Amino acid sequence: MSNRQSADVCVVGGGYSGTMVCANLVRLGYSGTIVLIERGRRPARGVAYDPPSERLLLNVPAANMGAWADDPSEFHRWLIGRGREVAPGTFVSRAWYGEYLEQKLREAVDASRERLSVVHGEAVEYSNDDGSHRVVLDDGREVVSPRLVLALGNLRPGPLPGVRVPGGAGWWHADPWSAEAHAPCRNGERVLVIGTGLTMVDVCVSLTSVGARPKITVLSRNGLLPCVHATPGFKAVSATPPEAGWPLRRIVRHIRREARRVMREGGDWRAAIDCVRPWTRAIWSGLSAKDRERFVRLVRTPWDVHRHRVPAEVVARLVELQQRKSLRIVAGRVRRVENAGAAARVAWLERGTQREESAEFDRIINCTGARTSIDASPLLGAMAAAGVIRSEEIGLGVQTDAWARAVGRDGNVSEGVWVVGPLRRGTLWESTAVPDLREQALDAAREVLGDSGVSGARAPETWCAQ
Ligand SMILES: Cc1cc2nc3c(=O)[nH]c(=O)nc-3n(C[C@H](O)[C@H](O)[C@H](O)COP(=O)(O)OP(=O)(O)OC[C@H]3O[C@@H](n4cnc5c(N)ncnc54)[C@H](O)[C@@H]3O)c2cc1C
């Protein structure tokens, strides 16, 4: 690539979302040039599907992980085609899914006849030159395009609120998805994992993968762990979803009541959570800004642990670690982190008693969850400063309209800027897993097609356009 490259479409972020926007564009017959910018060493895989260990599993069954919106079971067939004979409901290795996505990208590049190219580098700066979006990479190269799709995905967790961590400390792992954070432990190694969600689960599986016996403490404000996926044996009892437009309090009460009813009738409480999924966008957009803020502050953690579940074998592993005294779970809030020779001394306030506890650790991993604030990314910061994007009202990513178009500082839609993936959480709430993102990737590709005046482009079939 010369120092300056022009393209008809520039997609920043080559994880699932960016890859599948490109693949959909090619499949829909887009005739323009597309540049996909990815900073990681393995485009297509993103953060989730380039795991440091083969043992880390998908949290969605294979039969529902197909990358195309119109073919959810394709991934399962792909596995079978490669001699990986698994049942449709199996939770397979995330590394296998990464291979599958790499193939999707390769196929799209081949089918595009050199119209789709991948550029390696991190997009860090932005300017708008007469309606053209100019994206500058960390090594000074530039991509200029009238259409820009932001698919930056899961931004690394932010600093611990109110806690200063000494700089340059070898025990501190700010990136919970890095190979260093996941390096298997030695016997007796003292590890603190801050956060008790899905990333914590991954970390515990990796750290103990070679049979060592570390001493892992996992700590979060609530100490709540993700629930387990359903096991067979429950009666099929369905639940009724809450209605869009109800206030948050009524929605929460309704879901709880439905869960209890389903259980009384011999069914599985998960039905009361899962029935909400097709309606999440409508319910979320029907909440007032105050209720959304309240949801994030008060309901998000209990909701996430019930909604984002883990396979039974993973839970069995955690239980085994607890029984071997290799894992303890603590509810509390970190107050101080200090150097203690080669290790760290951490003090926390125990939930409930408010007693201060402290201990020394050889490794601390920040698993407090992907950041959603736009100042977590230099590119987004530069775009916000240029006025073409703005933060979503309560800081959940970038503000977009129902058609994935970015909203600028002045409240108007920005010409030729779309957002796909976790950065749309504020607009959609469910904007994380492949079953949600595959529709988004298709819709964004159709939008780009529509915008470029290519005949045959269809309007996006979003929930609000129906
Ligand atoms: C650990 C983990 C496990 C998960 N497991 C599952 C699962 O089993 N099933 C499921 O459905 N969902 C899972 N998810 C949800 C996951 O978010 C989505 O499935 C999907 O991977 C999101 O893809 P994405 O492309 O939007 O984001 P990401 O995967 O985060 O990809 C974004 C990409 O953008 C790149 N990037 C960011 N900024 C820049 C920049 N400025 N310049 C250049 N490149 C940039 C990053 O390097 C990255 O490759 C998981 C998420 C995580 C974090």
Side-chain angles (χ1 to χ4, degrees):
M1 175 187 165
S2 67
N3 220 31
R4 190 183 172 101
Q5 182 171 353
S6 297
D8 294 305
V9 183
C10 173
V11 178
V12 183
Y16 168 86
S17 301
T19 297
M20 289 312 296
V21 169
C22 295
N24 275 293
L25 275 170
V26 172
R27 198 192 208 195
L28 290 167
Y30 185 59
S31 55
T33 51
I34 310 162
V35 164
L36 174 64
I37 302 176
E38 168 56 40
R39 65 180 173 197
R41 62 196 168 99
R42 300 217 273 185
R45 289 180 174 248
V47 168
Y49 309 116
D50 193 9
S53 155
E54 286 256 336
R55 296 172 64 140
L56 300 180
L57 303 181
L58 294 175
N59 50 40
V60 174
N64 195 20
M65 281 295 286
W68 302 108
D70 62 357
D71 193 1
S73 63
E74 189 203 53
F75 173 58
H76 182 240
R77 296 198 306 280
W78 180 87
L79 287 170
I80 303 286
R82 310 210 130 206
R84 290 165 176 162
E85 296 283 340
V86 295
T90 313
F91 301 96
V92 301
S93 166
R94 292 216 303 269
W96 292 359
Y97 195 73
E99 283 175 38
Y100 166 73
L101 285 184
E102 280 178 343
Q103 184 175 323
K104 295 280 127 226
L105 181 56
R106 261 195 318 273
E107 285 168 359
V109 169
D110 291 348
S112 78
R113 296 170 200 264
E114 298 184 5
R115 278 175 289 117
L116 166 60
S117 58
V118 179
V119 167
H120 295 265
E122 176 166 3
V124 289
E125 277 178 43
Y126 170 88
S127 66
N128 191 313
D129 302 338
D130 285 336
S132 267
H133 305 288
R134 178 174 151 270
V135 167
V136 184
L137 306 192
D138 48 355
D139 60 4
R141 290 173 299 163
E142 298 175 6
V143 179
V144 179
S145 171
R147 296 169 202 89
L148 180 60
V149 181
L150 298 174
L152 273 53
N154 298 286
L155 307 177
R156 242 169 52 171
L160 304 176
V163 178
R164 203 187 69 79
V165 175
W171 39 257
W172 174 249
H173 294 269
D175 181 352
W177 303 305
S178 68
E180 295 75 34
H182 284 251
C185 285
R186 51 186 164 73
N187 272 334
E189 187 172 336
R190 300 160 301 173
V191 183
L192 175 65
V193 181
I194 306 174
T196 52
L198 295 178
T199 305
M200 173 283 292
V201 173
D202 278 2
V203 164
C204 290
V205 170
S206 294
L207 295 184
T208 56
S209 60
V210 291
R213 290 183 169 227
K215 296 268 177 217
I216 305 174
T217 302
V218 304
L219 180 146
S220 73
R221 291 184 189 177
N222 292 281
L224 290 174
L225 265 58
C227 294
V228 63
H229 278 301
T231 41
F234 285 104
K235 206 167 118 187
V237 180
S238 57
T240 315
E243 282 178 27
W246 285 359
L248 180 64
R249 193 187 288 263
R250 184 167 177 195
I251 292 172
V252 171
R253 218 183 305 131
H254 173 89
I255 295 173
R256 283 196 173 137
R257 206 180 299 132
E258 279 296 279
R260 284 196 296 269
R261 180 188 61 77
V262 167
M263 285 192 289
R264 265 199 317 275
E265 292 174 21
D268 183 344
W269 59 264
R270 293 165 189 81
I273 303 290
D274 296 346
C275 73
V276 179
R277 194 158 182 185
W279 309 104
T280 312
R281 292 182 185 188
I283 292 170
W284 180 252
S285 68
L287 289 179
S288 65
K290 204 164 177 189
D291 263 354
R292 288 182 192 198
E293 184 275 324
R294 213 175 275 143
F295 175 86
V296 171
R297 195 161 37 86
L298 302 171
V299 185
R300 179 185 196 158
T301 303
W303 174 256
D304 279 352
V305 298
H306 289 89
R307 161 74 188 83
H308 300 288
R309 302 185 288 262
V310 287
E313 60 259 49
V314 173
V315 173
R317 177 87 185 125
L318 295 182
V319 171
E320 185 199 324
L321 290 174
Q322 268 187 310
Q323 285 167 349
R324 282 192 350 207
K325 306 255 180 287
S326 256
L327 175 66
R328 71 170 175 146
I329 296 151
V330 175
R333 180 194 291 252
V334 176
R335 293 192 83 190
R336 281 186 313 282
V337 181
E338 294 157 348
N339 274 313
R345 172 156 287 280
V346 179
W348 65 87
L349 274 189
E350 214 175 58
R351 187 184 164 96
T353 65
Q354 294 303 303
R355 216 177 33 224
E356 185 170 303
E357 297 280 332
S358 77
E360 287 190 9
F361 297 97
D362 305 302
R363 192 185 318 196
I364 306 177
I365 306 168
N366 183 2
C367 294
T368 51
R371 227 165 142 185
T372 54
S373 130
I374 60 173
D375 44 68
S377 150
L379 176 67
L380 296 181
M383 291 185 73
V388 289
I389 62 165
R390 71 177 186 191
S391 174
E392 187 276 334
E393 247 176 323
I394 53 169
L396 293 175
V398 176
Q399 187 160 11
T400 57
D401 71 0
W403 286 266
R405 298 177 299 186
V407 174
R409 184 170 44 215
D410 59 4
N412 294 319
V413 162
S414 290
E415 199 62 35
V417 184
W418 294 269
V419 185
V420 183
L423 285 175
R424 291 195 74 205
R425 270 207 130 173
T427 314
L428 306 172
W429 183 249
E430 287 281 5
S431 194
T432 311
V434 166
D436 306 304
L437 301 183
R438 58 187 169 219
E439 299 286 341
Q440 278 192 39
L442 174 61
D443 286 349
R446 284 179 174 158
E447 276 285 307
V448 171
L449 266 168
D451 175 76
S452 62
V454 173
S455 60
R458 285 188 284 155
E461 289 160 13
T462 58
W463 57 275
C464 58
Q466 285 164 4

